[in-house]
Coordinates of all heavy atoms in Angstrom, one line a residue:
M9 N 0.9 -1.2 0.0 CA 0.0 0.0 0.0 C 0.9 1.2 0.0 O 1.7 1.4 0.9 CB -0.9 0.0 1.2 CG -1.8 1.1 1.3 SD -3.5 0.8 0.8 CE -4.1 -0.4 2.0
S10 N 0.7 2.1 -1.0 CA 1.4 3.3 -1.0 C 0.7 4.4 -0.1 O -0.5 4.2 0.2 CB 1.5 3.9 -2.4 OG 0.2 3.9 -3.0
D11 N 1.4 5.4 0.3 CA 0.7 6.3 1.2 C -0.1 7.4 0.4 O 0.1 7.5 -0.8 CB 1.7 7.0 2.2 CG 2.7 7.9 1.5 OD1 2.4 8.4 0.4 OD2 3.7 8.1 2.1
D12 N -0.9 8.1 1.1 CA -1.8 9.0 0.4 C -1.1 10.1 -0.4 O -1.6 10.6 -1.4 CB -2.8 9.7 1.4 CG -3.6 8.7 2.1 OD1 -3.7 7.6 1.7 OD2 -4.2 9.1 3.1
E13 N 0.1 10.5 0.1 CA 0.9 11.5 -0.5 C 1.2 11.2 -2.0 O 1.4 12.1 -2.8 CB 2.2 11.7 0.2 CG 2.0 12.2 1.7 CD 1.2 13.5 1.8 OE1 1.5 14.4 1.1 OE2 0.2 13.5 2.6
A14 N 1.2 9.9 -2.3 CA 1.6 9.5 -3.7 C 0.5 9.7 -4.7 O 0.7 9.5 -5.9 CB 2.1 8.1 -3.7
C15 N -0.8 9.9 -4.2 CA -1.9 9.8 -5.1 C -2.6 11.2 -5.3 O -3.2 11.8 -4.4 CB -2.9 8.9 -4.5 SG -4.5 8.9 -5.5
A16 N -2.4 11.7 -6.5 CA -3.0 13.0 -6.8 C -4.5 12.9 -7.0 O -5.3 13.8 -6.9 CB -2.4 13.6 -8.0
H17 N -5.0 11.7 -7.4 CA -6.4 11.5 -7.6 C -7.2 11.7 -6.4 O -8.3 12.3 -6.4 CB -6.7 10.0 -8.1 CG -5.8 9.6 -9.3 ND1 -4.7 8.8 -9.2 CD2 -5.8 10.0 -10.6 CE1 -4.2 8.6 -10.4 NE2 -4.8 9.4 -11.2
L18 N -6.8 11.1 -5.3 CA -7.5 11.2 -4.0 C -7.5 12.7 -3.5 O -8.5 13.2 -3.0 CB -6.9 10.3 -2.9 CG -7.1 8.8 -3.1 CD1 -6.4 8.0 -2.1 CD2 -8.6 8.5 -3.1
K19 N -6.3 13.3 -3.7 CA -6.2 14.7 -3.3 C -7.2 15.6 -4.0 O -7.7 16.7 -3.5 CB -4.8 15.3 -3.5 CG -3.9 14.9 -2.4 CD -2.6 15.6 -2.7 CE -1.5 15.2 -1.8 NZ -0.1 15.6 -2.3
A20 N -7.5 15.2 -5.3 CA -8.4 16.0 -6.2 C -9.8 15.9 -5.8 O -10.7 16.7 -6.3 CB -8.1 15.7 -7.6
I21 N -10.2 14.9 -5.0 CA -11.6 14.8 -4.6 C -12.0 15.8 -3.6 O -11.5 15.9 -2.5 CB -11.9 13.4 -4.0 CG1 -11.4 12.2 -4.9 CG2 -13.3 13.2 -3.6 CD1 -12.3 12.0 -6.1
E22 N -13.0 16.6 -4.0 CA -13.5 17.7 -3.1 C -14.8 17.3 -2.4 O -15.0 17.6 -1.2 CB -13.6 19.0 -3.8 CG -12.3 19.6 -4.2 CD -12.4 20.9 -5.0 OE1 -13.6 21.3 -5.3 OE2 -11.4 21.5 -5.3
K23 N -15.6 16.6 -3.1 CA -16.9 16.2 -2.6 C -17.1 14.7 -3.0 O -17.0 14.4 -4.2 CB -18.0 17.0 -3.2 CG -19.4 16.8 -2.5 CD -20.4 17.9 -3.0 CE -21.7 17.8 -2.3 NZ -22.3 16.5 -2.4
V24 N -17.4 13.9 -2.0 CA -17.6 12.4 -2.3 C -18.9 12.2 -2.9 O -20.0 12.7 -2.4 CB -17.4 11.6 -1.0 CG1 -17.6 10.1 -1.3 CG2 -15.9 11.8 -0.5
V25 N -19.0 11.4 -4.0 CA -20.2 11.1 -4.7 C -20.7 9.8 -4.1 O -20.0 8.7 -4.2 CB -20.0 10.9 -6.2 CG1 -21.3 10.5 -6.9 CG2 -19.4 12.2 -6.8
G26 N -21.9 9.8 -3.5 CA -22.5 8.6 -3.0 C -23.3 7.8 -4.0 O -23.5 8.3 -5.1
P27 N -23.7 6.6 -3.6 CA -24.4 5.7 -4.5 C -25.8 6.2 -4.7 O -26.5 6.7 -3.8 CB -24.4 4.4 -3.8 CG -24.3 4.7 -2.4 CD -23.4 5.9 -2.3
K28 N -26.3 6.1 -5.9 CA -27.7 6.5 -6.2 C -28.7 5.3 -5.7 O -29.7 5.5 -5.2 CB -28.0 6.7 -7.7 CG -27.2 8.0 -8.2 CD -27.6 8.2 -9.7 CE -26.7 9.3 -10.3 NZ -25.3 8.7 -10.6
K29 N -28.2 4.1 -6.0 CA -28.9 2.9 -5.6 C -27.9 1.9 -5.0 O -26.8 1.8 -5.4 CB -29.5 2.2 -6.8 CG -30.8 2.8 -7.3 CD -31.3 1.9 -8.4 CE -32.7 2.4 -8.9 NZ -33.2 1.5 -10.0
L30 N -28.4 1.2 -4.0 CA -27.5 0.2 -3.4 C -27.6 -1.1 -4.2 O -28.1 -2.2 -3.7 CB -27.8 0.0 -1.9 CG -27.3 1.2 -1.0 CD1 -27.8 0.9 0.4 CD2 -25.8 1.4 -1.1
E31 N -27.1 -1.1 -5.4 CA -27.0 -2.3 -6.2 C -25.9 -2.1 -7.3 O -25.6 -1.0 -7.7 CB -28.3 -2.6 -6.9 CG -28.8 -1.5 -7.8 CD -30.2 -1.7 -8.3 OE1 -31.0 -2.4 -7.6 OE2 -30.5 -1.3 -9.5
C32 N -25.3 -3.2 -7.8 CA -24.3 -3.1 -8.8 C -25.1 -3.0 -10.2 O -25.8 -3.9 -10.5 CB -23.4 -4.4 -8.8 SG -22.4 -4.4 -10.3
E33 N -24.8 -1.9 -10.9 CA -25.6 -1.7 -12.1 C -25.3 -2.7 -13.2 O -26.1 -3.0 -14.0 CB -25.4 -0.2 -12.6 CG -24.0 0.1 -12.9 CD -23.8 1.6 -13.3 OE1 -24.3 2.4 -12.6 OE2 -23.2 1.8 -14.4
E34 N -24.1 -3.3 -13.1 CA -23.7 -4.3 -14.1 C -24.3 -5.7 -13.7 O -24.8 -6.4 -14.6 CB -22.2 -4.4 -14.2 CG -21.5 -3.1 -14.5 CD -21.8 -2.6 -15.9 OE1 -22.1 -3.4 -16.8 OE2 -21.7 -1.4 -16.2
C35 N -24.2 -6.0 -12.4 CA -24.8 -7.3 -12.0 C -26.3 -7.4 -12.2 O -26.8 -8.5 -12.5 CB -24.5 -7.6 -10.5 SG -22.8 -8.1 -10.2
V36 N -27.0 -6.3 -12.0 CA -28.4 -6.2 -12.2 C -28.8 -6.6 -13.6 O -29.7 -7.4 -13.9 CB -29.0 -4.8 -11.8 CG1 -30.4 -4.6 -12.3 CG2 -28.9 -4.6 -10.3
K37 N -28.0 -6.2 -14.6 CA -28.2 -6.4 -16.0 C -28.1 -7.9 -16.3 O -28.8 -8.5 -17.2 CB -27.2 -5.7 -16.9 CG -27.5 -4.2 -17.0 CD -26.4 -3.6 -17.9 CE -26.3 -2.1 -17.7 NZ -25.1 -1.5 -18.2
I38 N -27.1 -8.6 -15.6 CA -26.9 -10.0 -16.0 C -27.4 -11.0 -15.0 O -27.2 -12.2 -15.0 CB -25.4 -10.3 -16.2 CG1 -24.6 -9.9 -14.9 CG2 -24.8 -9.4 -17.3 CD1 -23.1 -10.3 -14.9
G39 N -28.2 -10.4 -14.0 CA -28.8 -11.3 -13.0 C -27.8 -11.9 -12.0 O -28.1 -13.0 -11.5
S40 N -26.7 -11.3 -11.8 CA -25.7 -11.8 -10.9 C -25.8 -11.2 -9.5 O -26.7 -10.3 -9.3 CB -24.3 -11.6 -11.5 OG -23.3 -12.3 -10.7
S41 N -24.9 -11.6 -8.6 CA -25.0 -11.0 -7.2 C -23.6 -10.5 -6.9 O -22.6 -10.7 -7.6 CB -25.4 -12.1 -6.2 OG -24.5 -13.2 -6.3
W42 N -23.5 -9.8 -5.7 CA -22.3 -9.1 -5.3 C -22.1 -9.2 -3.8 O -23.1 -9.5 -3.1 CB -22.3 -7.7 -5.8 CG -23.5 -6.9 -5.3 CD1 -23.7 -6.3 -4.0 CD2 -24.8 -6.8 -5.9 NE1 -24.9 -5.8 -3.9 CE2 -25.6 -6.1 -5.0 CE3 -25.3 -7.2 -7.2 CZ2 -26.9 -5.7 -5.4 CZ3 -26.6 -6.8 -7.5 CH2 -27.4 -6.1 -6.6
M43 N -20.9 -8.9 -3.4 CA -20.6 -8.9 -2.0 C -20.7 -7.5 -1.4 O -21.5 -7.2 -0.5 CB -19.1 -9.3 -1.7 CG -18.9 -10.8 -1.9 SD -19.5 -11.7 -0.5 CE -18.4 -11.2 0.8
H44 N -19.9 -6.5 -1.9 CA -19.9 -5.2 -1.5 C -20.0 -4.2 -2.7 O -19.7 -4.6 -3.8 CB -18.6 -4.9 -0.7 CG -18.4 -5.8 0.5 ND1 -19.3 -5.8 1.6 CD2 -17.5 -6.7 0.7 CE1 -18.8 -6.7 2.4 NE2 -17.8 -7.3 1.9
L45 N -20.3 -3.0 -2.4 CA -20.5 -2.0 -3.5 C -19.5 -0.8 -3.4 O -19.2 -0.4 -2.3 CB -21.9 -1.5 -3.5 CG -23.0 -2.6 -3.8 CD1 -24.4 -2.1 -3.5 CD2 -22.9 -3.1 -5.3
R46 N -19.1 -0.3 -4.6 CA -18.2 0.8 -4.7 C -18.8 1.8 -5.7 O -19.4 1.4 -6.7 CB -16.9 0.4 -5.2 CG -16.2 -0.8 -4.5 CD -15.8 -0.4 -3.1 NE -15.2 -1.6 -2.4 CZ -15.8 -2.1 -1.2 NH1 -16.9 -1.6 -0.7 NH2 -15.2 -3.1 -0.6
T47 N -18.7 3.1 -5.4 CA -19.2 4.1 -6.3 C -18.1 4.9 -7.0 O -17.2 5.4 -6.3 CB -20.2 5.1 -5.5 OG1 -21.3 4.3 -5.0 CG2 -20.7 6.1 -6.5
C48 N -18.1 4.9 -8.3 CA -17.1 5.6 -9.1 C -17.2 7.1 -8.8 O -18.3 7.6 -9.0 CB -17.3 5.2 -10.5 SG -16.1 6.1 -11.6
Q49 N -16.1 7.7 -8.5 CA -16.1 9.1 -8.2 C -16.0 10.0 -9.5 O -16.1 11.2 -9.5 CB -15.0 9.5 -7.3 CG -15.1 8.8 -5.9 CD -16.4 9.3 -5.2 OE1 -16.6 10.4 -4.9 NE2 -17.3 8.3 -5.1
T50 N -15.8 9.4 -10.7 CA -15.8 10.1 -11.9 C -17.1 10.2 -12.6 O -17.6 11.2 -13.0 CB -14.8 9.4 -12.9 OG1 -13.5 9.3 -12.2 CG2 -14.6 10.3 -14.1
C51 N -17.8 9.0 -12.6 CA -19.1 9.0 -13.3 C -20.3 8.7 -12.4 O -21.4 8.8 -12.8 CB -19.1 7.9 -14.4 SG -18.9 6.2 -13.9
G52 N -20.0 8.4 -11.1 CA -21.1 8.1 -10.2 C -21.8 6.8 -10.3 O -22.7 6.5 -9.5
G53 N -21.3 5.9 -11.1 CA -21.9 4.5 -11.2 C -21.5 3.7 -10.0 O -20.3 3.8 -9.5
T54 N -22.4 2.8 -9.6 CA -22.1 1.9 -8.5 C -21.9 0.5 -9.0 O -22.8 0.0 -9.7 CB -23.2 2.0 -7.4 OG1 -23.2 3.4 -6.9 CG2 -23.0 1.0 -6.3
R55 N -20.8 -0.1 -8.6 CA -20.5 -1.5 -9.1 C -19.9 -2.3 -8.0 O -19.6 -1.8 -6.9 CB -19.5 -1.4 -10.3 CG -20.1 -0.6 -11.4 CD -19.1 -0.3 -12.5 NE -19.7 0.5 -13.6 CZ -19.7 1.8 -13.6 NH1 -19.2 2.5 -12.6 NH2 -20.3 2.4 -14.6
C56 N -19.7 -3.6 -8.2 CA -19.3 -4.5 -7.2 C -17.8 -4.6 -7.0 O -17.0 -4.3 -7.9 CB -19.9 -5.9 -7.4 SG -19.5 -6.6 -9.0
C57 N -17.4 -5.0 -5.7 CA -16.0 -5.0 -5.3 C -15.3 -6.2 -5.8 O -15.8 -7.1 -6.4 CB -16.0 -5.0 -3.7 SG -16.5 -6.6 -3.1
D58 N -14.0 -6.3 -5.4 CA -13.1 -7.4 -5.8 C -13.4 -8.7 -5.1 O -12.9 -9.7 -5.4 CB -11.7 -7.0 -5.7 CG -11.2 -6.1 -6.8 OD1 -12.0 -5.9 -7.8 OD2 -10.0 -5.7 -6.8
S59 N -14.2 -8.7 -4.0 CA -14.7 -9.9 -3.4 C -15.9 -10.5 -4.0 O -16.3 -11.6 -3.7 CB -15.0 -9.7 -1.9 OG -13.8 -9.1 -1.3
S60 N -16.4 -9.8 -5.0 CA -17.6 -10.2 -5.7 C -17.2 -11.0 -6.9 O -16.1 -10.8 -7.4 CB -18.5 -9.0 -6.2 OG -18.7 -8.2 -5.1
P61 N -18.1 -12.0 -7.4 CA -17.6 -12.8 -8.5 C -17.3 -12.0 -9.8 O -16.4 -12.4 -10.5 CB -18.9 -13.7 -8.8 CG -19.9 -13.4 -7.8 CD -19.4 -12.3 -6.8
N62 N -17.9 -10.9 -10.0 CA -17.7 -10.2 -11.3 C -16.7 -9.0 -11.2 O -16.3 -8.5 -12.3 CB -19.0 -9.8 -11.9 CG -19.9 -11.0 -12.3 OD1 -19.5 -11.8 -13.1 ND2 -21.0 -11.1 -11.6
R63 N -16.4 -8.5 -10.0 CA -15.5 -7.4 -9.9 C -15.7 -6.3 -10.8 O -14.8 -5.8 -11.4 CB -14.0 -8.0 -10.0 CG -13.7 -9.1 -9.1 CD -12.3 -9.6 -9.2 NE -12.1 -10.7 -8.3 CZ -10.9 -11.2 -8.0 NH1 -9.8 -10.7 -8.7 NH2 -10.7 -12.1 -7.2
H64 N -16.9 -5.8 -10.9 CA -17.3 -4.8 -11.9 C -16.6 -3.5 -11.6 O -16.3 -2.7 -12.5 CB -18.8 -4.6 -12.0 CG -19.4 -5.7 -12.8 ND1 -20.5 -6.5 -12.3 CD2 -19.2 -6.3 -14.0 CE1 -20.9 -7.4 -13.2 NE2 -20.1 -7.3 -14.2
A65 N -16.4 -3.1 -10.3 CA -15.8 -1.8 -10.0 C -14.4 -1.7 -10.5 O -14.0 -0.7 -11.2 CB -15.9 -1.5 -8.5
S66 N -13.6 -2.7 -10.3 CA -12.2 -2.6 -10.8 C -12.1 -2.8 -12.3 O -11.2 -2.1 -12.9 CB -11.3 -3.6 -10.1 OG -11.7 -5.0 -10.3
K67 N -12.9 -3.6 -12.9 CA -13.0 -3.7 -14.4 C -13.3 -2.4 -15.0 O -12.7 -1.9 -16.0 CB -14.0 -4.7 -14.8 CG -13.5 -6.2 -14.7 CD -14.6 -7.1 -15.2 CE -14.3 -8.5 -14.9 NZ -15.4 -9.4 -15.0
H68 N -14.3 -1.7 -14.4 CA -14.7 -0.4 -14.9 C -13.6 0.6 -14.7 O -13.3 1.4 -15.6 CB -16.0 0.1 -14.1 CG -16.3 1.5 -14.4 ND1 -16.9 2.0 -15.5 CD2 -16.1 2.6 -13.6 CE1 -17.1 3.3 -15.4 NE2 -16.5 3.7 -14.3
A69 N -12.9 0.6 -13.6 CA -11.8 1.6 -13.3 C -10.7 1.4 -14.4 O -10.2 2.4 -14.9 CB -11.2 1.3 -11.9
R70 N -10.4 0.2 -14.7 CA -9.4 0.0 -15.8 C -9.8 0.4 -17.1 O -9.2 1.0 -17.9 CB -8.9 -1.5 -15.8 CG -7.9 -1.8 -14.7 CD -7.2 -3.2 -15.0 NE -8.2 -4.3 -15.1 CZ -8.6 -4.9 -14.0 NH1 -8.1 -4.6 -12.8 NH2 -9.5 -5.9 -14.1
A71 N -11.1 -0.1 -17.5 CA -11.6 0.1 -18.8 C -11.9 1.6 -19.1 O -11.6 2.1 -20.2 CB -12.8 -0.7 -19.0
A72 N -12.4 2.3 -18.2 CA -12.9 3.7 -18.4 C -11.8 4.7 -17.9 O -12.0 5.9 -18.1 CB -14.2 3.9 -17.6
H73 N -10.8 4.2 -17.3 CA -9.7 5.1 -16.7 C -10.4 6.1 -15.7 O -10.1 7.3 -15.7 CB -9.0 5.9 -17.7 CG -8.3 4.9 -18.7 ND1 -7.1 4.2 -18.3 CD2 -8.5 4.6 -20.0 CE1 -6.8 3.5 -19.4 NE2 -7.6 3.7 -20.4
H74 N -11.2 5.5 -14.8 CA -11.8 6.3 -13.7 C -11.2 5.7 -12.4 O -11.5 4.6 -12.0 CB -13.3 6.0 -13.6 CG -14.1 6.7 -14.8 ND1 -15.4 6.4 -15.0 CD2 -13.7 7.6 -15.7 CE1 -15.8 7.2 -16.1 NE2 -14.8 7.8 -16.5
P75 N -10.2 6.5 -11.9 CA -9.3 5.9 -10.8 C -9.9 5.6 -9.5 O -9.6 4.7 -8.8 CB -8.2 6.9 -10.7 CG -8.7 8.2 -11.2 CD -9.8 7.8 -12.2
V76 N -10.8 6.5 -9.0 CA -11.2 6.5 -7.6 C -12.6 6.1 -7.4 O -13.6 6.5 -8.1 CB -11.0 7.9 -7.0 CG1 -11.4 8.0 -5.5 CG2 -9.5 8.4 -7.1
V77 N -12.8 5.2 -6.4 CA -14.2 4.8 -5.9 C -14.3 5.2 -4.4 O -13.3 5.3 -3.7 CB -14.4 3.3 -6.1 CG1 -14.5 2.9 -7.5 CG2 -13.4 2.5 -5.3
C78 N -15.5 5.3 -4.0 CA -15.8 5.3 -2.5 C -16.5 4.0 -2.2 O -17.1 3.4 -3.1 CB -16.6 6.5 -2.1 SG -18.3 6.5 -2.5
S79 N -16.4 3.6 -0.9 CA -17.3 2.5 -0.5 C -18.7 3.0 -0.5 O -19.0 4.0 0.0 CB -16.9 2.1 0.9 OG -17.8 1.1 1.4
A80 N -19.6 2.1 -1.0 CA -21.0 2.4 -1.0 C -21.7 1.7 0.1 O -22.9 1.7 0.2 CB -21.6 2.0 -2.4
E81 N -20.9 1.1 1.0 CA -21.5 0.3 2.1 C -21.9 1.3 3.2 O -21.1 2.2 3.6 CB -20.5 -0.7 2.7 CG -20.1 -1.7 1.7 CD -21.2 -2.6 1.3 OE1 -22.0 -3.1 2.1 OE2 -21.4 -2.8 0.0
P82 N -23.1 1.2 3.7 CA -23.6 2.1 4.8 C -22.6 2.1 6.0 O -22.1 1.0 6.4 CB -24.9 1.5 5.3 CG -25.4 0.7 4.1 CD -24.1 0.2 3.4
G83 N -22.2 3.3 6.5 CA -21.3 3.4 7.6 C -19.9 3.4 7.2 O -19.0 3.7 8.1
E84 N -19.5 3.1 6.0 CA -18.1 3.1 5.6 C -17.8 4.4 4.9 O -18.5 4.8 4.0 CB -17.8 1.9 4.7 CG -17.8 0.6 5.4 CD -17.3 -0.6 4.5 OE1 -16.8 -0.3 3.4 OE2 -17.4 -1.7 5.0
R85 N -16.7 5.0 5.3 CA -16.3 6.3 4.7 C -14.9 6.3 4.3 O -14.0 6.8 5.0 CB -16.6 7.4 5.8 CG -18.0 7.6 6.1 CD -18.2 8.6 7.3 NE -17.8 10.0 6.9 CZ -18.5 10.8 6.2 NH1 -19.7 10.5 5.8 NH2 -18.1 12.0 6.0
W86 N -14.6 5.7 3.1 CA -13.3 5.8 2.6 C -13.3 5.8 1.1 O -14.3 5.4 0.4 CB -12.5 4.6 3.1 CG -13.1 3.2 3.0 CD1 -13.8 2.5 4.0 CD2 -13.1 2.3 1.8 NE1 -14.2 1.3 3.5 CE2 -13.8 1.2 2.2 CE3 -12.6 2.5 0.5 CZ2 -14.0 0.1 1.3 CZ3 -12.8 1.4 -0.4 CH2 -13.5 0.2 0.0
L87 N -12.2 6.3 0.5 CA -12.0 6.4 -0.9 C -10.8 5.5 -1.3 O -9.9 5.3 -0.5 CB -11.7 7.8 -1.3 CG -12.8 8.8 -1.1 CD1 -12.1 10.2 -1.0 CD2 -13.8 8.8 -2.2
Y88 N -10.9 4.9 -2.5 CA -9.8 4.1 -2.9 C -9.4 4.4 -4.3 O -10.3 4.6 -5.2 CB -10.2 2.6 -2.8 CG -9.1 1.6 -3.3 CD1 -7.9 1.4 -2.5 CD2 -9.2 1.0 -4.5 CE1 -6.9 0.6 -2.9 CE2 -8.1 0.2 -4.9 CZ -7.0 0.0 -4.1 OH -6.0 -0.9 -4.6
C89 N -8.1 4.5 -4.6 CA -7.6 4.8 -5.9 C -7.0 3.5 -6.5 O -6.0 3.0 -5.9 CB -6.5 5.9 -5.9 SG -5.8 6.1 -7.5
Y90 N -7.5 3.0 -7.6 CA -7.0 1.7 -8.1 C -5.6 1.8 -8.7 O -4.8 1.0 -8.3 CB -8.0 1.2 -9.2 CG -9.3 0.6 -8.7 CD1 -10.4 1.3 -8.7 CD2 -9.3 -0.7 -8.2 CE1 -11.6 0.8 -8.1 CE2 -10.4 -1.2 -7.6 CZ -11.6 -0.5 -7.6 OH -12.7 -1.0 -7.1
P91 N -5.3 2.8 -9.6 CA -4.0 2.8 -10.1 C -2.9 3.0 -9.1 O -1.8 2.4 -9.3 CB -4.0 3.9 -11.2 CG -5.2 4.7 -10.9 CD -6.2 3.7 -10.3
D92 N -3.1 3.7 -8.0 CA -2.1 4.0 -7.0 C -2.2 3.0 -5.8 O -1.4 3.1 -4.9 CB -2.2 5.4 -6.5 CG -1.8 6.4 -7.6 OD1 -0.7 6.1 -8.3 OD2 -2.5 7.4 -7.8
D93 N -3.3 2.2 -5.8 CA -3.5 1.4 -4.6 C -3.5 2.2 -3.3 O -2.8 1.8 -2.4 CB -2.5 0.2 -4.6 CG -2.9 -0.8 -3.5 OD1 -4.0 -0.9 -3.1 OD2 -1.9 -1.5 -3.0
A94 N -4.2 3.3 -3.3 CA -4.1 4.2 -2.2 C -5.5 4.4 -1.6 O -6.5 4.4 -2.3 CB -3.6 5.6 -2.6
L95 N -5.5 4.4 -0.2 CA -6.8 4.4 0.5 C -6.8 5.7 1.3 O -5.8 6.1 1.9 CB -6.9 3.2 1.4 CG -8.2 2.9 2.2 CD1 -9.2 2.4 1.2 CD2 -7.9 1.9 3.2
A96 N -8.0 6.4 1.4 CA -8.1 7.6 2.3 C -9.5 7.5 2.9 O -10.5 7.3 2.3 CB -7.9 8.8 1.5
E97 N -9.5 7.8 4.2 CA -10.8 8.0 4.9 C -11.2 9.4 4.8 O -10.4 10.3 4.6 CB -10.6 7.6 6.4 CG -10.3 6.1 6.5 CD -10.3 5.6 8.0 OE1 -11.0 6.3 8.8 OE2 -9.7 4.6 8.2
Y98 N -12.5 9.6 4.9 CA -13.0 11.0 4.8 C -14.0 11.3 5.9 O -14.5 10.3 6.5 CB -13.5 11.3 3.4 CG -14.7 10.5 3.0 CD1 -16.0 11.0 3.3 CD2 -14.6 9.3 2.3 CE1 -17.1 10.3 2.9 CE2 -15.7 8.6 2.0 CZ -17.0 9.1 2.3 OH -18.1 8.4 1.9
Ligands
ZN13 ZN1 -4.4 7.9 -7.6
ZN14 ZN1 -21.2 -6.3 -10.4
ZN15 ZN1 -16.7 5.6 -13.7

């Protein structure tokens, strides 16, 4: 894990974008299920975490070059940057 200082993406977040719905928008389309949810801070889409069978959040981050997600889980307040593997609480 690199420290927060190394990640300009996390520093650039001024307001955290929360989930519109507590569901993975990709899993819903294919009738799959998920473990935990992450919300993309670039486009606002909510997708499933790396513990889920389809890992839609990390696939989206790589494919769309949207680096930062927040946890969409109730009570969790953190941001994660995929390319820098950096975590920040807020
Ligand atoms: Zn970063
Ligand atoms: Zn999913
Ligand atoms: Zn996105």
Side-chain angles (χ1 to χ4, degrees):
M9 181 99 67
S10 52
D11 68 23
D12 298 348
E13 298 301 311
C15 175
H17 310 107
L18 290 173
K19 277 187 190 166
I21 304 285
E22 289 177 357
K23 189 173 186 301
V24 176
V25 179
K28 294 184 191 76
K29 281 186 174 180
L30 287 178
E31 59 186 31
C32 171
E33 59 185 51
E34 305 291 337
C35 283
V36 164
K37 286 180 202 163
I38 60 174
S40 189
S41 60
W42 56 84
M43 286 285 292
H44 304 293
L45 295 168
R46 310 288 178 244
T47 298
C48 177
Q49 296 300 295
T50 307
C51 66
T54 297
R55 299 173 182 84
C56 54
C57 72
D58 281 355
S59 302
S60 307
N62 296 298
R63 302 181 179 190
H64 285 127
S66 59
K67 282 181 189 166
H68 168 79
R70 275 196 302 276
H73 301 287
H74 292 171
V76 178
V77 292
C78 73
S79 174
E81 297 298 311
E84 292 188 4
R85 293 174 64 82
W86 51 262
L87 296 159
Y88 179 72
C89 174
Y90 285 101
D92 292 315
D93 187 24
L95 190 74
E97 295 188 21
Y98 64 89

